[in-house]
Amino acid sequence: MRSLSLIFVLLISSGSWLLTGCRGVRPANQEQTRAGSPGSATTAGSNVPPVVIFDALCQAVQDNYPMLEFVGWEGEKWGQEFRRRISTAPTREVAFQLMDEFICRLNDYHTRFFWPGRPQLATPAFRVEPVLSTGSAPPDHGIWAEARPPVELPAIDGICIAVVEAEKDTGLQPGDEILEMDGVPVTEALARAWRHAVGCSVGGKLRSAAGRMLGGLADKEIQVTVHRRQAQGVGEEIRVTVPRSKDAVGNAVSRREVEGVPVIRIARWNNKTGENLVADFDAMLNEMRDRPGIIIDVRRNGGGQDKIADQVIGRFLTAPVLSSISFHRIVPGTIYERKILMSDPRGPWRYEGRVAVLTDEGCMSSCEHFVSGMVEAGALICGTPTSGACGLIRTVQLPGGTRLNISQTFPLHSGGIPSPQFGIVPHLWAPRTLDDLRNGQDTALNAALRWVKSNDPLSPRFQTLAPFSRKK
């Protein structure tokens, strides 16, 4: 197992050791500050010029974000660009959308801009992702390993956007290739959504953009044109109209059996009313104690609470492990307080079989903490990298009733470079393929099944790098 690179610890660390922490949203304790000097008042009302709000937004980013240098932030250049665009915006809504685009260049899912009347987007009952349209991934893993996404949508040769899940009443099915959204060619729709998407890799940002282009007001349907392969490889274009609605909330933990291997699905790291995620997981694990291998699927798990993730990690440990290190910026200065996040053994026994964990760019926040801990526990990580970002949200109140939720901490995870530059890479890279989708196959699950059933050792994990000098 690779050790955490100490160079980043030595360069950044300052302050005391702390034993607990969480990088996600903390509703009860979430810090709130105001833009400008401490104690300054926010200016409310719709008469505040958008440029004034934008200047306060720029200052808030500069004063609060933990490590702008690691995300390739070009504050002065981009500030001038957006100030010019905002000053000529025809409406306040357009100006606010431009500010949202500006903040999205941080590519940090914890850092977002909010304004009065911000549209509440709903999505249809199907899900899309970027998938390989021809063959397998290139040796360098293509877009899934390409760090520091460019400002505009890049060429995506060999990649298409396809339906990966769909309710029956939508008229869509897995493997349908998206051609148009509301009559707009998919590449144009992606280019628009890209500017408001986030992801530290090209693959991650493309996934975010693909999901965002489905969003719209709940009372508006979406028209989708797809290419569907029929029998004998014959294809046809199909156009369907699908309503948008709120996402259904399923169980946090569920279980199924695939080819004789138990697969535990963990959808989030928090409990809804009446749930006990840890107790449910323990009950499932008790039934699998003598099984030679299991798979834990945390794809699309957007996080929750580190302490819940730690309790699941603990069932696979014989000794405490270091799951994460976070450097908390003490604003408005640039001194950092180091936080050590350990995961401890838990329960009357440890699961001894082979363990594979399925990941993708939908693994965020506390889920990245979980994946890091499972790497330290000796599990195989399979799929594509986690999302990667800074964390622990602080709320900064801005003029005109706007606000910025902004990360405070700069995390490091097992065997990887700083999280804002890239997520946690897998041992086995297995991005989805269009052929697998059309044949009812799950590319990453199949790769994990092969490993769990074998006696193969863990593969090395190789981390992608992007030099600071490379511009977006």
Side-chain angles (χ1 to χ4, degrees), residues 1-3 375-379 414 427 458 461:
M1 195 66 60
R2 293 186 179 184
S3 62
V375 170
E376 293 298 330
S414 176
H427 298 90
L458 287 174
R461 292 192 305 129

Side-chain angles (χ1 to χ4, degrees), residues 4 10 18 29 57 109 163 171 188 215 243 246 296 315 317 327 331 345-346:
L4 187 68
L10 295 174
L18 300 178
N29 303 315
L57 177 64
Y109 53 79
V163 176
E188 184 178 339
K246 292 184 178 180
I296 302 175
R315 297 306 307 268
L317 300 176
F327 295 93
V331 299
R346 185 185 66 84

Side-chain angles (χ1 to χ4, degrees), residues 238-464:
I238 296 173
R239 184 174 289 110
V240 298
T241 300
V242 185
R244 293 184 173 97
S245 60
K246 292 184 178 180
D247 291 337
V249 178
N251 294 332
V253 186
S254 57
R255 174 191 171 179
R256 60 187 173 127
E257 196 101 357
V258 181
E259 296 182 13
V261 177
V263 179
I264 300 176
R265 165 72 181 152
I266 303 178
R268 59 183 182 274
W269 292 111
N270 55 36
N271 292 312
K272 301 298 182 183
T273 303
E275 284 185 331
N276 189 327
L277 189 159
V278 172
D280 292 344
F281 179 84
D282 285 350
M284 293 179 188
L285 194 65
N286 283 337
E287 298 176 4
M288 305 171 190
R289 182 172 184 176
D290 298 324
R291 304 293 288 270
I294 64 173
I295 294 172
I296 302 175
D297 185 355
V298 292
R299 291 174 295 183
R300 309 186 310 283
N301 182 320
Q305 296 178 299
D306 285 1
K307 64 181 181 180
I308 293 179
D310 281 329
Q311 292 181 75
V312 174
I313 296 169
R315 297 306 307 268
F316 303 92
L317 300 176
T318 56
V321 298
L322 174 59
S323 293
S324 304
I325 299 178
S326 286
F327 295 93
H328 184 175
R329 181 178 174 183
I330 309 302
V331 299
T334 53
I335 300 299
Y336 294 81
E337 184 177 61
R338 183 175 51 190
K339 296 184 179 182
I340 304 301
L341 287 78
M342 304 293 295
S343 300
D344 298 313
R346 185 185 66 84
W349 52 272
R350 172 184 180 269
Y351 180 75
E352 299 287 349
R354 292 165 73 85
V355 181
V357 177
L358 302 183
T359 64
D360 62 13
E361 291 79 8
C363 297
M364 302 177 179
S365 196
S366 295
C367 194
E368 294 191 276
H369 176 77
F370 171 77
V371 174
S372 182
M374 292 302 291
V375 170
E376 293 298 330
L380 173 98
I381 309 303
C382 181
T384 53
T386 62
S387 188
C390 291
L392 190 61
I393 297 170
R394 168 187 289 114
T395 297
V396 180
Q397 301 295 340
L398 299 171
T402 65
R403 78 175 192 272
L404 176 68
N405 283 2
I406 189 165
S407 293
Q408 303 179 71
T409 61
F410 175 74
L412 305 175
H413 293 119
S414 176
I417 63 176
S419 186
Q421 282 196 295
F422 210 78
I424 302 170
V425 298
H427 298 90
L428 291 180
W429 294 69
R432 292 186 192 271
T433 72
L434 187 59
D435 281 345
D436 278 350
L437 274 174
R438 288 173 168 170
N439 292 318
Q441 299 296 309
D442 184 329
T443 309
L445 177 60
N446 288 345
L449 286 167
R450 288 191 292 270
W451 182 84
V452 165
K453 293 179 177 181
S454 75
N455 293 315
D456 295 342
L458 287 174
S459 305
R461 292 192 305 129
F462 294 103
Q463 180 69 66
T464 187

Side-chain angles (χ1 to χ4, degrees), residues 14 19 59 87 93 111 132 199 214 231 265 273 303 348 394 416 450:
S14 173
L19 296 180
Q59 192 63 51
S87 66
E93 178 63 24
T111 300
L132 287 162
L214 301 183
R265 165 72 181 152
T273 303
R394 168 187 289 114
R450 288 191 292 270

Side-chain angles (χ1 to χ4, degrees), residues 145-166:
E146 187 175 347
R148 200 160 302 168
V151 168
E152 300 293 345
L153 177 71
I156 51 172
D157 298 333
I159 305 293
C160 69
I161 306 300
V163 176
V164 294
E165 288 181 359

Side-chain angles (χ1 to χ4, degrees), residues 45-46 48-51 53-54 57 86 89 91-103 113-119 196 399-402:
S46 60
V48 181
V51 168
I53 299 173
F54 178 67
L57 177 64
I86 288 167
T91 67
R92 292 181 71 82
E93 178 63 24
V94 171
F96 289 143
Q97 291 287 350
L98 287 168
M99 294 182 213
D100 181 73
E101 179 184 341
F102 175 74
I103 289 301
F113 176 65
F114 298 86
W115 61 91
R118 185 176 190 245
H196 300 274
T402 65

